[in-house]
Amino acid sequence: MNKTMLCIEILQLLSAKNIMNKNEIAEVLEINPRNVIEYIKTLQNCGYDIESVRGVYGGYHLNKDSLLPAVKLNQKEVDLLKSSVAFLERQADYLEYKEYLKTISKVLSTNMESFSTDIKIIDRYPLAMAKEELLKRYTAFTEAISARKKCEIEYLSSKNKESTHIIHPYQVFVFNGSWLVLAWNETVNEFGYFKLNRIQNLHILPIKFTILRTYQSSDYIDQYGMKQNGEYYDIKLELTDLYTVISERIYGKNQKITKIDEHRTILECSMQNKNIIQSFVLGFGSKAKVIEPEWLKIQIEQEAKRILGEENE
């Protein structure tokens, strides 16, 4: 058996055992104990974290959190990591940037690299709440989720009404640039979504809750957002001079984009929540024409009249 194979065998043995001394390793591999010392040094030089433990019951211990050795990054990989640092620094919805910075510094330090970068990221509509306050709420919820503790919150609805709820937090996530918590709401006996920035007061209670056996994260959150945030509706829009803009993003399920001519584009997809759909269409102004469904045409027309103050005329 060659040296490479013997080194791999030693890694496998140390991965299976907590500690093995050189004689135990030598006996299993049928080699000289002096060779074990040589092979261990080779593995350590390759980047494997193998510790020598002294004492009667000592030996060699492999840190199983770092089974793969540190590798030298190429310049493109280094540049990508630098870009990620610059990007995340400007993201209001990335609350653990400081911890990320500490982590990535360990990686880049092995390559003798710094964080200097000229990349500029502009957040067009930053959240009004300070990131530090948002981080406090995020941390509180992650702690409550880990300990399975109930929380009492005072919540401000979109209609500016404040109410108190006892909730069982299950998961925190980002949707459309906002942090939310998915939680079972004791007040109404059903799951709900709560924006962290709308929570006025938050108290972790000394009361534990039990995760529902029927709970599946996929029943409430998917790649398109919040699955329990209203019914899905099929929409069809004709958009003018927006083909490039529309092609850049996925707006809903089963999305289909058809270019009719140089100016006109048809967008078809399934979107959630009538109010969200209405806001989406109005955001394009006169460049959007509703083809289907009929209720959306009526809703857009009524909203336009309200905007112009013509609703009661």
Side-chain angles (χ1 to χ4, degrees):
M1 191 179 295
N2 62 32
K3 182 175 180 179
T4 301
M5 289 300 297
L6 286 168
C7 285
I8 293 173
E9 291 277 4
I10 290 174
L11 283 176
Q12 291 173 338
L13 288 172
L14 294 179
S15 295
K17 298 274 190 177
N18 187 33
I19 291 179
M20 290 186 74
N21 61 44
K22 64 181 180 181
N23 293 323
E24 290 172 326
I25 295 172
E27 183 179 351
V28 173
L29 299 181
E30 298 180 349
I31 58 175
N32 191 302
R34 285 178 296 181
N35 293 128
V36 172
I37 298 173
E38 176 192 347
Y39 297 152
I40 291 290
K41 286 183 179 179
T42 298
L43 289 167
Q44 289 172 330
N45 290 335
C46 288
Y48 289 98
D49 187 2
I50 300 175
E51 178 187 4
S52 295
V53 181
R54 294 184 178 182
V56 178
Y57 301 103
Y60 294 109
H61 169 72
L62 172 65
N63 179 4
K64 298 180 178 65
D65 292 331
S66 58
L67 290 182
L68 293 177
V71 295
K72 182 71 176 177
L73 301 176
N74 61 42
Q75 191 57 48
K76 182 177 180 180
E77 291 168 333
V78 169
D79 291 341
L80 285 171
L81 289 178
K82 287 182 178 181
S83 297
S84 72
V85 172
F87 179 78
L88 291 173
E89 183 180 15
R90 298 299 301 272
Q91 299 306 298
D93 58 4
Y94 191 73
L95 301 178
E96 297 186 285
Y97 173 75
K98 290 182 180 178
E99 290 303 315
Y100 174 80
L101 195 60
K102 291 177 184 177
T103 303
I104 209 69
S105 67
K106 294 179 182 179
V107 177
L108 289 181
S109 64
T110 63
N111 288 264
M112 304 301 289
E113 292 287 343
S114 65
F115 291 113
S116 58
T117 176
D118 293 326
I119 296 175
K120 302 298 179 186
I121 307 295
I122 307 299
D123 187 0
R124 188 178 181 187
Y125 300 115
L127 198 63
M129 176 174 286
K131 186 180 289 187
E132 290 73 19
E133 178 59 31
L134 204 58
L135 179 58
K136 283 172 58 179
R137 299 178 188 192
Y138 167 84
T139 303
F141 274 123
T142 54
E143 290 175 355
I145 291 169
S146 178
R148 295 187 180 179
K149 293 287 186 69
K150 296 183 180 182
C151 297
E152 182 180 68
I153 63 169
E154 291 179 15
Y155 192 72
L156 190 66
S157 72
S158 58
K159 295 182 179 179
N160 203 36
K161 292 184 178 180
E162 194 171 299
S163 55
T164 302
H165 304 275
I166 303 296
I167 64 172
H168 308 176
Y170 276 60
Q171 187 173 350
V172 287
F173 63 99
V174 177
F175 177 66
N176 277 354
S178 295
W179 276 96
L180 298 95
V181 59
L182 169 65
W184 175 262
N185 187 349
E186 285 190 6
T187 309
V188 294
N189 286 323
E190 64 181 25
F191 277 99
Y193 309 95
F194 301 90
K195 284 189 174 182
L196 266 59
N197 60 297
R198 288 186 184 172
I199 295 173
Q200 304 302 293
N201 288 296
L202 165 63
H203 301 287
I204 299 177
L205 303 176
I207 308 170
K208 289 206 168 190
F209 67 87
T210 303
I211 299 289
L212 295 176
R213 291 184 179 180
T214 56
Y215 170 75
Q216 293 288 337
S217 177
S218 58
D219 291 337
Y220 300 94
I221 304 170
D222 66 10
Q223 61 180 318
Y224 301 103
M226 300 177 284
K227 294 180 71 172
Q228 306 295 325
N229 193 33
E231 186 180 345
Y232 277 93
Y233 300 92
D234 294 331
I235 67 166
K236 187 175 183 179
L237 308 177
E238 181 183 304
L239 303 164
T240 304
D241 295 329
L242 289 174
Y243 176 78
T244 302
V245 173
I246 287 296
S247 301
E248 290 175 339
R249 295 181 181 273
I250 296 175
Y251 298 98
K253 292 183 177 180
N254 307 315
Q255 180 165 301
K256 181 181 178 182
I257 297 173
T258 307
K259 190 172 185 180
I260 300 176
D261 55 36
E262 185 180 353
H263 297 286
R264 296 180 300 157
T265 302
I266 298 295
L267 169 66
E268 298 175 81
C269 66
S270 296
M271 296 182 70
Q272 220 176 358
N273 194 301
K274 287 187 174 182
N275 290 331
I276 291 177
I277 295 171
Q278 174 184 291
S279 298
F280 172 72
V281 176
L282 288 172
F284 294 111
S286 61
K287 291 183 177 292
K289 175 183 175 183
V290 179
I291 300 176
E292 296 175 0
E294 192 63 31
W295 64 260
L296 183 55
K297 294 181 184 180
I298 296 171
Q299 194 163 307
I300 293 293
E301 182 181 6
Q302 291 174 344
E303 186 66 18
K305 288 180 177 180
R306 284 192 285 268
I307 292 172
L308 295 172
E310 299 175 356
E311 187 177 30
N312 298 320
E313 291 183 8

